[in-house]
Amino acid sequence: MTIGPDIEEAIKEVATGYTILRDSGDVTGEFLRSEPNAQITKPFIREFFLESVFTYSSVVVIGDVIEFDTTGDKYLVMNKTPEIFENEIILFNGVLYKCNVSIDIQRPDDTGSRDKQYHLKTAWSLVKASANALLVTPLYGVDLETDEELGLIGVKELELYIPTSVGLQELDRVIVSSTEYYRIETVKKRRYSAVDICDIGEDVRPIIGSSVTTTTSTTTTSTTSTTTTTTTST
């Protein structure tokens, strides 16, 4: 007989309740035990990284976003590894990254109509609204899960950690706020099994409703000739 149920009961006594946030319907009533990573002296790790233990019966999967019932904090499930005893799964060890943004994602379509000046308009379709993700400015040589020291000061472009299920593509627009627009430059799909890491940069493309235009200015100089007639009286 597996000891999974006994461990589950023990976890619940000291655990945090959470809800799995899914488009198909939220899943409630699950528990996990979490603790900060051993590298707690590193502010970056302390802020965004949690190690966790899920019960053997948990239905959470990599790429899920979960919300702690007590604090409301949201985390992206990066890893879920089974721990096996006597050929039975007794619990799952996991890694969580804290979500710090809720973003709207739009996709451009340059095959739309043209305005009166025959400028091609860019149509924007909504891919997903209020998607939870982690947006960070990492350091060269220092990933969230690394053991290296944070003394290497070299800033890379912004990185976005987001579930693969969202389906981000290059050139998609990420809207963080009314003043923060970013463009997806690259999508890294192989580092994690169900989480994409995207390099993003500032998006200077026209806002929704405007057209993509290339304007050529022509300056015309007009010369006015004035003729003066003089009349002589005798």
Side-chain angles (χ1 to χ4, degrees), residues 140-160:
Y140 281 119
V142 182
D143 290 327
L144 284 175
E145 69 276 11
T146 188
D147 287 331
E148 297 180 43
E149 293 298 326
L150 289 188
L152 303 177
I153 305 300
V155 179
K156 294 168 61 178
E157 295 296 328
L158 288 170
E159 283 188 341
L160 184 75

Side-chain angles (χ1 to χ4, degrees), residues 79-85 88-94:
N79 172 266
K80 183 186 177 186
T81 305
E83 186 168 319
I84 299 175
F85 178 75
E88 296 283 350
I89 296 175
I90 59 175
L91 55 84
F92 291 94
N93 293 300

Side-chain angles (χ1 to χ4, degrees), residues 52-157:
S52 61
V53 176
F54 298 101
T55 65
Y56 84 105
S57 62
S58 175
V59 298
V60 73
V61 297
I62 301 172
D64 272 339
V65 174
I66 64 175
E67 180 178 7
F68 286 179
D69 296 340
T70 303
T71 64
D73 291 336
K74 297 181 177 67
Y75 287 87
L76 181 58
V77 180
M78 302 296 298
N79 172 266
K80 183 186 177 186
T81 305
E83 186 168 319
I84 299 175
F85 178 75
E86 293 184 348
N87 210 35
E88 296 283 350
I89 296 175
I90 59 175
L91 55 84
F92 291 94
N93 293 300
V95 173
L96 308 176
Y97 285 0
K98 188 176 183 179
C99 298
N100 61 354
V101 291
S102 178
I103 60 177
D104 291 341
I105 302 165
Q106 297 176 340
R107 184 158 296 153
D109 180 4
D110 291 331
T111 61
S113 60
R114 294 179 182 270
D115 60 19
K116 293 181 180 180
Q117 285 75 39
Y118 297 99
H119 298 140
L120 183 63
K121 292 182 178 179
T122 298
W124 294 92
S125 59
L126 182 66
V127 176
K128 187 174 179 61
S130 302
N132 294 293
L134 170 60
L135 179 62
V136 292
T137 304
L139 304 179
Y140 281 119
V142 182
D143 290 327
L144 284 175
E145 69 276 11
T146 188
D147 287 331
E148 297 180 43
E149 293 298 326
L150 289 188
L152 303 177
I153 305 300
V155 179
K156 294 168 61 178
E157 295 296 328

